[in-house]
Amino acid sequence: MPCEAIPETQPVQPPPLGDTSLHGAFWTRCLLFFLRILPMGLCVTLATPVAFVIYCLAGPQRRAVCANLEAMQPEEGPLLWWWHGFQVFLQFGLTYMDRLWHLHFGREVHWELAGAENMQALRTEPGGVLVFTVHAGNYDMGSALFASKLGRDLHTVRTPEQTASLRELRSKELAGHEQREPNLHVHYNECGSHLGLQLCKLLQAGQIVAIQGDRVVMDVSAKHLQIHGLDFRLPRGPLVLAEMLPVPCYPVFLSRQGLMSYRAEIGPAFRAAGERATLEEIGGRWLVAMHAFLSLHWDQWFVFEHLVTRV
């Protein structure tokens, strides 16, 4: 894509003052300001030094990412764990800019689809379907693409942002996203929302529900599962949902290939429709698919909590 300035569709205004904490909306508004006035190529070039500064300052998140990499890459050593941790931060920053370019400036995203036969099988499932994914690639853009390709309603689950300012910004973004893609419906996992019951009803009604099955944050209940000498702390909720309802479960993974370019991988169902399985069995099958993806795309696992230990 040529490194040309992004056309100005509205007057350029400096970012408003507000919540300047790490989880506040100020920094996203600041980034939007620069994405609007600077050429795309320059923004990509500046992403590396900016990500490096953030990586050095974000101590708890840096240590958590490096701890996960240390467990998954025991042969590498401290220097490579530290360097690979920076690669995670850099990929996150590049992915975040892609997201803003797409949602706020209408930049088109190129998608490569892997597993077309599995996509067709998922699309033609007669009843409800549970889609498992991870915090990789770009969840918001990927869910819209997935909904458009399916030709069926897709219900996605998100964790609310940690600050009111960022929640307000995200709500406006996703509202516009849902207007452009009517098959996409976003649900927030908020305290007291009884989301589990809502998702059960949707699955029983034959809907497709996509949920991220890799990140344990705040008061989310965890389930420890092991593979290849690694102990993963996974969220219990998606596994309980799959255990309660014998719906087919498909793994879907997103990865960034380059500037505004992504790959969606749809794997075969790891639980068939009508099959009864325990939480441990479902979790073990999901972990096999998840671990295979993370082994190849460790630099795009955007979790900033310590979730993996070596046993």
Side-chain angles (χ1 to χ4, degrees):
M1 185 172 292
C3 299
E4 58 185 8
I6 297 175
E8 291 184 16
T9 57
Q10 53 184 303
V12 177
Q13 300 291 339
L17 295 177
D19 184 359
T20 58
S21 68
L22 182 63
H23 300 287
F26 173 81
W27 299 110
T28 295
R29 293 193 178 106
C30 188
L31 180 56
L32 283 168
F33 172 74
F34 287 108
L35 293 182
R36 184 176 293 115
I37 65 174
L38 296 179
M40 181 177 279
L42 180 58
C43 291
V44 172
T45 301
L46 292 174
T48 298
V50 172
F52 185 80
V53 171
I54 295 174
Y55 184 58
C56 292
L57 295 176
Q61 292 83 3
R62 181 184 67 249
R63 288 188 289 271
V65 168
C66 289
N68 291 334
L69 292 170
E70 179 179 350
M72 293 190 293
Q73 304 173 348
E75 71 285 353
E76 299 293 357
L79 184 59
L80 279 178
W81 295 330
W82 192 92
W83 175 248
H84 287 173
F86 168 63
Q87 298 303 311
V88 174
F89 272 66
L90 177 58
Q91 283 291 343
F92 179 79
L94 293 170
T95 301
Y96 196 62
M97 288 198 302
D98 285 344
R99 178 186 185 277
L100 296 179
W101 272 317
H102 177 67
L103 291 182
H104 291 264
F105 304 107
R107 293 280 186 177
E108 290 298 320
V109 180
H110 171 73
W111 284 96
E112 175 187 346
L113 183 64
E117 67 283 0
N118 299 320
M119 180 71 154
Q120 179 61 21
L122 192 162
R123 180 189 294 115
T124 56
E125 291 282 359
V129 180
L130 193 55
V131 171
F132 281 71
T133 187
V134 298
H135 288 77
N138 197 299
Y139 187 56
D140 294 327
M141 293 194 303
S143 58
L145 168 85
F146 205 60
S148 66
K149 295 293 184 183
L150 281 172
R152 294 175 57 179
D153 284 349
L154 175 67
H155 299 264
T156 66
V157 177
R158 287 182 59 93
T159 299
E161 303 298 337
Q162 298 184 30
T163 62
S165 61
L166 199 53
R167 281 196 296 271
E168 180 182 0
L169 180 62
R170 287 288 179 271
S171 296
K172 292 179 180 178
E173 288 177 343
L174 295 175
H177 218 30
E178 290 180 281
Q179 286 179 355
R180 291 190 294 270
E181 183 45 67
N183 288 340
L184 179 63
H185 309 279
V186 180
H187 303 263
Y188 286 93
N189 187 14
E190 297 178 301
C191 181
S193 66
H194 304 291
L195 181 62
L197 181 59
Q198 295 178 41
L199 299 181
C200 279
K201 291 180 178 179
L202 288 170
L203 289 169
Q204 290 172 333
Q207 299 291 304
I208 300 176
V209 173
I211 195 164
Q212 292 170 311
D214 64 326
R215 189 182 180 203
V216 178
V217 294
M218 296 182 288
D219 58 349
V220 172
S221 178
K223 172 66 178 177
H224 288 262
L225 294 169
Q226 296 182 1
I227 185 173
H228 302 320
L230 298 173
D231 182 272
F232 280 78
R233 238 176 6 114
L234 302 181
R236 181 181 291 270
L239 303 178
V240 171
L241 189 62
E243 183 182 40
M244 290 173 56
L245 300 174
V247 297
C249 299
Y250 284 79
V252 175
F253 301 107
L254 308 173
S255 57
R256 185 178 187 272
Q257 303 296 295
L259 182 61
M260 303 298 289
S261 178
Y262 289 79
R263 174 184 172 91
E265 302 175 34
I266 297 90
F270 58 85
R271 204 272 291 274
E275 178 190 358
R276 289 291 178 180
T278 66
L279 184 148
E280 285 74 16
E281 291 171 333
I282 297 168
R285 297 175 193 177
W286 160 236
L287 185 55
V288 168
M290 172 180 156
H291 180 263
F293 174 81
L294 295 181
S295 296
L296 296 175
H297 300 285
W298 50 264
D299 61 330
Q300 297 202 38
W301 193 27
F302 303 138
V303 297
F304 300 96
E305 300 81 24
H306 187 190
L307 300 179
V308 191
T309 55
R310 184 157 287 277
V311 294

